[in-house]
Amino acid sequence: MRMSVIGCGYLGATHAACMADLGHEVIGIDVDPAKIEKLNSGEVPFYEPGLDEVLQRALASGRLRFTTSWDEVAQFADAHFLCVGTPQRAGSYAADMQYVDAAIAELAPRLTRPSLVIGKSTVPAGTAARLAEYLEQHAPVRELARLAWNPEFLREGFAVEDTVTPDRLVYGVADEESAAILAKIYEPVTVHGMPVIITTRPTAELVKVAANSFLATKISFINAMAEICEVAGGDVSVLADAIGHDTRIGRRFLNAGVGFGGGCLPKDIRAFQERVGELGVSHAVDFLNDIDAINLRRRQRVVDLALASVGGSFAEKTVAVLGAAFKPDSDDVRDSPALDIAASISNAGATVRVYDPKAMDNAALRFPKLDYSPTVADAVSGADVLLHLTEWREFRELDPASLTPLVRNPHIIDGRLCLDPARWRAAGWTYEALGRPTV
Ligand code: UDX
């Protein structure tokens, strides 16, 4: 099939490359010419394991190209995947819909033959109905410009895997033709036998925000338990293992630490609260306020522990931070707990030295005031305290004994609870972690 992918960020670039790799004819469009140039030359403009190969293979097949021209997109494709961002609106909890609306405004007047627009972006409930009406009013083909909602659940770091072999596919449709087109598009994926849920457009919109709210709740639940462990002398990691053996609970997404960040979970639970409020039932998701608050409290807890470890003042102190990305195997620093903590400590007067295997450039763009070190050894040199805030494999495999002679004070705060306390203590370090006994 001939399809377009509108918006070539983490979601769109991956979707375009994977769809072409699966055999479709794909054109990707983005407003950023530099991004389009990179993609056309086979370069992924962000770090995503495995995506380079898929992109290069798809380009070489001749089935994939990228453009900035809406005319080209409308002439070429019969199906249009909407993959633009819906970030948090400045000064509000609501989703900023300007990129979605701008894309539809460009596309609609160019739809001169029967087309299916397929929304993948995470949007407030009711968006699909609004966009469908807009298409019907502004597309020359009128009601033959159809609209479906097909939410995306991809995780950064596993984007290719999640696109090619997703846990499930959800088709939110208003007519059978749209469901049939989606079935045809995803045939190379569904041959593997994953569940397909065909439902209404509002349900499909809600599935996505419900899933992200549930995941955020699971993380904040275990982080709330970590707060309690800290005062009751418990170990939240052991607690998570123990409750996780109950298959009704499950161990996945129960890793306590500095909490969730990234371009999705934080802004999605806020936009959900905003939209649910507009729908008049805000009490239904009042609990998400607490989920957000627990999450942000964990960041402050690391700042407080670091401050206590250096004797109550950051003046003249050096703090080493391992990790800038919001999670490992990503260079994404949007709402990253690690960077947020680093910036707070820097603002409080410390010299903060940050090292991350992949996210340094993005971090420096966002927080140019922090010192960025080319290696772990450089970051920890002369440090009064070391913070482990993103669980990259490189950090888990560090030999603490090799770092002891480099620091001013061997004190580590493990914000991801995945270092081995015994090893660090044996190498002369004071090891502290969120939700774990200090000794
Ligand atoms: C998330 C959803 O998982 C995905 O389905 C959706 O499409 C987009 O949002 P992503 O943002 O890539 O994906 O990251 P995810 O792996 O979900 O992690 C989110 C955050 O939660 C990270 O900051 C991670 O460090 C944190 N996290 C995750 C925890 O703190 N503990 C855990 O147990 C799991």
Side-chain angles (χ1 to χ4, degrees):
M1 287 196 64
R2 302 177 86 174
M3 59 189 66
S4 84
V5 173
I6 301 166
C8 295
Y10 289 94
L11 164 59
T14 309
H15 192 67
C18 290
M19 287 295 118
D21 201 35
L22 290 171
H24 295 301
E25 303 270 332
V26 183
I27 185 164
I29 180 166
D30 199 282
V31 290
D32 179 353
K35 198 183 274 178
I36 291 302
E37 204 182 306
K38 274 193 176 165
L39 287 165
N40 270 329
S41 66
E43 196 187 326
V44 178
F46 46 87
Y47 178 70
E48 181 59 47
L51 184 55
D52 305 54
E53 295 98 278
V54 181
L55 174 70
Q56 283 152 20
R57 206 163 52 224
L59 287 168
S61 73
R63 290 192 300 269
L64 177 64
R65 68 197 150 94
F66 295 90
T67 182
T68 53
S69 159
W70 282 101
D71 288 337
E72 218 179 316
V73 161
Q75 275 158 26
F76 178 80
D78 303 303
H80 303 275
F81 281 99
L82 190 58
C83 297
V84 296
T86 50
Q88 188 174 337
R89 197 189 296 162
S92 153
Y93 266 23
D96 184 348
M97 298 300 288
Q98 63 166 311
Y99 307 107
V100 170
D101 293 343
I104 292 293
E106 290 283 2
L107 187 64
R110 293 178 168 88
L111 295 178
T112 52
R113 63 174 189 276
S115 314
L116 180 63
V117 177
I118 306 156
K120 282 192 105 49
S121 310
T122 306
V123 293
T127 301
R130 177 171 69 78
L131 298 182
E133 200 182 317
Y134 184 94
L135 285 176
E136 204 171 321
Q137 281 166 6
H138 294 85
V141 283
R142 299 276 167 197
E143 71 282 355
L144 294 182
R146 296 195 170 87
L147 184 113
W149 217 263
N150 167 225
E152 182 59 61
F153 304 99
L154 72 77
R155 298 159 298 165
E156 289 176 27
F158 300 90
V160 172
E161 185 185 322
D162 286 349
T163 305
V164 181
T165 53
D167 289 338
R168 76 296 208 187
L169 285 161
V170 177
Y171 307 160
V173 292
D175 52 78
E176 284 179 11
E177 290 84 348
S178 301
I181 295 169
L182 282 161
K184 198 168 165 211
I185 290 173
Y186 283 115
E187 211 175 82
V189 172
T190 52
V191 289
H192 301 298
M194 66 267 311
V196 176
I197 291 123
I198 302 175
T199 183
T200 61
R201 295 184 301 209
T203 307
E205 291 169 324
L206 286 169
V207 166
K208 177 60 191 274
V209 277
N212 277 356
S213 297
F214 194 89
L215 294 173
T217 301
K218 210 170 171 189
I219 298 167
S220 277
F221 174 83
I222 201 65
N223 281 330
M225 296 306 109
E227 289 187 328
I228 299 166
C229 283
E230 280 160 19
V231 290
D235 183 328
V236 74
S237 295
V238 179
L239 185 147
D241 290 343
I243 64 171
H245 281 300
D246 183 332
T247 50
R248 292 170 302 175
I249 297 172
R251 181 62 177 83
R252 292 180 69 192
F253 259 69
L254 271 189
N255 294 324
V258 288
F260 58 83
C264 293
L265 261 46
K267 63 103 178 160
D268 286 353
I269 63 167
R270 291 174 196 150
F272 194 26
Q273 289 176 75
E274 182 75 16
R275 182 62 185 142
V276 169
E278 286 167 8
L279 294 171
V281 285
S282 59
H283 53 272
V285 288
D286 275 350
F287 71 95
L288 288 177
N289 255 324
D290 282 334
I291 299 307
D292 208 355
I294 293 165
N295 193 50
L296 297 177
R297 278 206 299 273
R298 294 285 76 191
R299 302 181 187 186
Q300 185 57 41
R301 173 74 177 155
V302 175
V303 177
D304 294 345
L305 285 174
L307 183 64
S309 78
V310 297
S313 165
F314 282 123
E316 314 279 309
K317 300 292 182 192
T318 299
V319 178
V321 171
L322 298 186
F326 82 103
K327 68 173 190 180
D329 296 315
S330 170
D331 64 357
D332 195 346
V333 298
R334 287 177 292 172
D335 206 341
S336 163
L339 261 193
D340 198 15
I341 292 165
S344 297
I345 293 177
S346 165
N347 288 339
T351 298
V352 178
R353 288 222 288 271
V354 181
Y355 169 77
D356 186 284
K358 295 285 176 196
M360 304 272 272
D361 291 347
N362 286 342
L365 282 174
R366 200 157 282 221
F367 290 106
K369 243 182 73 185
L370 303 172
D371 284 354
Y372 293 95
S373 301
T375 60
V376 172
D378 191 73
V380 306
S381 275
D384 295 286
V385 59
L386 170 58
L387 311 182
H388 172 240
L389 301 182
T390 311
E391 68 275 38
W392 286 94
R393 193 188 177 136
E394 180 180 346
F395 303 151
R396 292 202 305 270
E397 290 175 351
L398 281 172
D399 173 13
S402 70
L403 302 181
T404 317
L406 305 179
V407 295
R408 191 143 57 194
N409 181 26
H411 190 124
I412 180 156
I413 298 169
D414 185 359
R416 291 293 185 177
L417 285 83
C418 58
L419 303 178
D420 179 357
R423 258 187 102 210
W424 284 78
R425 287 184 182 130
W429 288 72
T430 301
Y431 171 94
E432 276 187 292
L434 299 179
R436 263 185 187 166
T438 298
V439 181

